[in-house]
Amino acid sequence: MMKFMLKNKVGMIFGVANKRSIAWACAEACLNQGAKLAFTYQGERLKENVEKLTKDLPETLVVPCDVTNQQEVDAAFAAVGEKYGRLDFVVHSIAFAPREALEGEFLTTTREAFLTAMEISTFSLTQVSLAAMPLMKDGGSIVTMSYYGAEKVVMNYNVMGVAKAALEASTRYLAADLGRHNIRVNAISAGPINTLSARGVKNMGTLLNYVGEKSPLKRNVEAREVGNTALFLVSDLSTAITGETIYVDCGYNIMGI
Ligand code: 1JT
């Protein structure tokens, strides 16, 4: 009964940069369950990475999609419509803020850094949800990625924390709007993982050690575990869950002192 949970389902994966990406872990979990997947990449720089990762997969589509370019977003969804004629789920695993904004004080965040973080990390979920809606003819599931810094102050996370708080709120508002189309929208709040994005962050090693010691499970989260939760959320095992933020953090967020 649990075999091929995503048989006959088509998904779209945003945010693969390389094989360590959370988006790629989500893709692998979904591919193992028989999904057909379209991948988007941001900029020519990442095209080759995504094409290499997906070259042996059947019935995949690889399309450019810089979310700051509405034409690219529209073209990406048009390509999915043309190839598959439908869409069942989306994994949105996109975020960006200038590196300087993720150190020091939040107080000194520039207007430009603030607007960039909000456009790419937050507004893109609304943009992608609207574009996905007409293709999700039999309902659907949209999953995005958040982080604890949305809820509590995490030093250095700064403007990304504000963007993720707005992303979690967007998840609820989108879930309310799309519920009547049987489209669910949920967020995963993942513990810190050493991906390409995280690598550029100061003191990431220290943060990983701290979380690894303080969390109830006494370890860090693996991307594969986030991928498996994304699989659950896009599958028919979670058909009554929408608007939620699910922590996948080895229990870190439940701890006080
Ligand atoms: C971005 C980056 C979004 C790193 C991110 C992120 N969401 C989580 N991380 C990892 C992280 C980063 C910091 C942190 C804790 C976790 C980098 C590129 C822009 C988007 O602070 C303690 C800063």
Side-chain angles (χ1 to χ4, degrees), residues 118-182:
M118 289 293 277
E119 180 181 19
I120 298 178
S121 316
T122 309
F123 177 67
S124 63
L125 181 69
T126 299
Q127 186 182 27
V128 158
S129 298
L130 181 65
M133 186 175 67
L135 287 172
M136 292 182 158
K137 293 164 190 164
D138 302 321
S141 175
I142 299 169
V143 178
T144 187
M145 298 300 152
S146 191
Y147 176 64
Y148 188 55
E151 189 181 314
K152 289 284 197 291
V153 173
V154 173
M155 266 201 310
N156 298 320
Y157 201 59
N158 296 351
V159 73
M160 275 310 305
V162 173
K164 292 299 194 186
L167 181 72
E168 292 180 10
S170 302
T171 299
R172 291 186 285 272
Y173 279 90
L174 291 168
D177 286 347
L178 292 171
R180 66 191 171 87
H181 300 286
N182 196 27

Side-chain angles (χ1 to χ4, degrees), residues 85-242:
R86 62 184 283 116
L87 185 62
D88 300 286
F89 64 91
V90 169
V91 174
H92 172 277
S93 186
I94 297 174
F96 181 75
R99 186 202 271 239
E100 321 81 75
L102 300 185
E103 353 177 313
E105 294 189 319
F106 172 67
L107 181 65
T108 54
T109 306
T110 63
R111 181 189 306 268
E112 201 191 347
F114 191 101
L115 294 176
T116 298
M118 289 293 277
E119 180 181 19
I120 298 178
S121 316
T122 309
F123 177 67
S124 63
L125 181 69
T126 299
Q127 186 182 27
V128 158
S129 298
L130 181 65
M133 186 175 67
L135 287 172
M136 292 182 158
K137 293 164 190 164
D138 302 321
S141 175
I142 299 169
V143 178
T144 187
M145 298 300 152
S146 191
Y147 176 64
Y148 188 55
E151 189 181 314
K152 289 284 197 291
V153 173
V154 173
M155 266 201 310
N156 298 320
Y157 201 59
N158 296 351
V159 73
M160 275 310 305
V162 173
K164 292 299 194 186
L167 181 72
E168 292 180 10
S170 302
T171 299
R172 291 186 285 272
Y173 279 90
L174 291 168
D177 286 347
L178 292 171
R180 66 191 171 87
H181 300 286
N182 196 27
I183 298 171
R184 301 182 291 110
V185 189
N186 292 288
I188 292 172
S189 185
I193 301 175
N194 212 352
T195 65
L196 184 65
S197 281
R199 210 107 27 95
V201 169
K202 240 186 176 172
N203 302 326
M204 195 61 193
T206 313
L207 177 79
L208 286 167
N209 287 336
Y210 181 78
V211 170
E213 280 168 25
K214 193 181 154 190
S215 67
L217 297 180
K218 304 293 174 219
R219 63 176 180 84
N220 285 290
V221 178
E222 288 171 26
R224 185 168 43 82
E225 299 175 303
V226 176
N228 286 338
T229 306
L231 164 61
F232 165 71
L233 287 172
V234 303
S235 80
D236 291 343
L237 290 177
S238 61
T239 47
I241 302 178
T242 194

